[in-house]
Amino acid sequence: MENAAYVGLSRQMTLRRELDIVANNIANADTTGFKVEQLLVGEEVGQRARNAFVRPGVSFVMDNGVGRDFSQGALSQTGRTLDFAIEGEGAFFRVQDGANEAYTRDGSFTVDAQGRLMTEGGHPVMGDGGEIILNPELGQVSVGADGTISQDGETVGRLSVVRFDALGVLEKGGDGLYRNASNAVAQEAPDARIRQGMLEGSNVNPILEITNLIEIQRAYESVTRMIEGNTDLSRRAVERLGRAA
């Protein structure tokens, strides 16, 4: 009886985690470059007791981490000169995060007092030769599909757009950034195209996520009823044994 309750509890723990993830997806449905997430659920087999040949092992529900869908979000026109979108899945702008590199799909950039191209979170945007420095006296910025940045007809830099062979090496950080959690080396993404004056929206499907919320709630209630039923059954069995004694 207790095993059923423990198995149900393990499922409730993953359902609560799923609820948090789905709620976060919905909250970021309008976040530039956000990628929808889902819980990866697996099986954990509990260690058998000494009477292994009498009772089989018990399988519990296990949280295997979070998976992300890196598919392309819809591109929307903003008309802003320093807004950029990457057309191509799995490619990222390369930025500097302290002493380390980070990667983002959010191309809503700004310029700081030194003329450096920056993310909204204050991280320098990297080019092929390092930080990208713009001169406001040279007028409007023009960016080609290959990421080449020009001012007044002169090339001032090129946006560094990279990708990884396996996107699973990226872990989520703050400010819409991803960090390389392994020794994998980022590769140039020559097939990716830059669209100036546009931003990539989130790839969250709000209707699907709300449906997931409803399904999670129903599953949680179902497991709760199962646990309560098994607990009641155990209680009644003990009472009957007590009366029989």
Side-chain angles (χ1 to χ4, degrees):
M1 299 299 180
E2 290 79 5
N3 282 344
Y6 288 136
V7 171
L9 180 60
S10 70
R11 179 56 179 145
Q12 283 187 324
M13 292 173 66
T14 58
L15 285 169
R16 291 188 63 179
R17 176 78 168 124
E18 283 186 75
L19 184 65
D20 291 339
I21 292 172
V22 172
N24 184 63
N25 287 338
I26 294 174
N28 286 281
D30 294 324
T31 299
T32 303
F34 181 82
K35 301 303 176 185
V36 67
E37 302 173 343
Q38 65 178 10
L39 183 68
L40 303 178
V41 178
E43 176 187 12
E44 182 177 18
V45 180
Q47 186 176 2
R48 295 185 178 188
R50 290 185 178 180
N51 57 349
F53 298 102
V54 179
R55 293 183 179 179
V58 179
S59 296
F60 298 92
V61 186
M62 181 174 62
D63 179 348
N64 271 342
V66 177
R68 295 181 183 87
D69 177 4
F70 283 98
S71 61
Q72 177 95 43
L75 304 186
S76 59
Q77 190 82 35
T78 67
R80 185 173 172 271
T81 304
L82 295 181
D83 280 348
F84 307 109
I86 300 175
E87 190 174 49
E89 294 184 6
F92 302 86
F93 294 110
R94 187 164 61 92
V95 303
Q96 194 67 27
D97 181 24
N100 302 311
E101 285 189 356
Y103 312 91
T104 185
R105 293 283 294 193
D106 184 354
S108 51
F109 299 148
T110 60
V111 176
D112 68 2
Q114 288 75 44
R116 297 183 301 170
L117 190 64
M118 309 285 286
T119 68
E120 287 191 337
H123 302 280
V125 179
M126 304 303 290
D128 291 343
E131 296 182 354
I132 297 174
I133 309 297
L134 302 178
N135 186 349
E137 296 181 358
L138 295 180
Q140 291 288 336
V141 174
S142 176
V143 177
D146 64 347
T148 300
I149 302 175
S150 303
Q151 284 186 288
D152 195 26
E154 297 182 6
T155 299
V156 297
R158 181 174 175 271
L159 290 168
S160 178
V161 179
V162 299
R163 63 161 45 98
F164 292 87
D165 292 334
L167 293 175
V169 303
L170 297 177
E171 65 178 15
K172 187 177 178 181
D175 297 327
L177 302 181
Y178 294 95
R179 297 181 177 87
N180 184 0
S182 73
N183 293 324
V185 178
Q187 306 292 333
E188 290 295 322
D191 57 324
R193 291 291 176 262
I194 305 300
R195 298 290 178 251
Q196 186 176 17
M198 303 184 76
L199 288 176
E200 178 188 5
S202 148
N203 65 353
V204 173
N205 184 332
I207 296 177
L208 178 60
E209 296 304 311
I210 291 173
T211 302
N212 288 339
L213 278 181
I214 296 172
E215 291 178 351
I216 291 170
Q217 181 181 3
R218 289 176 176 172
Y220 194 93
E221 292 172 350
S222 177
V223 175
T224 299
R225 289 193 297 268
M226 183 272 291
I227 294 175
E228 291 175 347
N230 278 275
T231 301
D232 185 59
L233 185 60
S234 296
R235 178 184 57 80
R236 285 185 290 165
V238 171
E239 289 176 350
R240 289 181 180 178
L241 287 173
R243 288 196 297 267

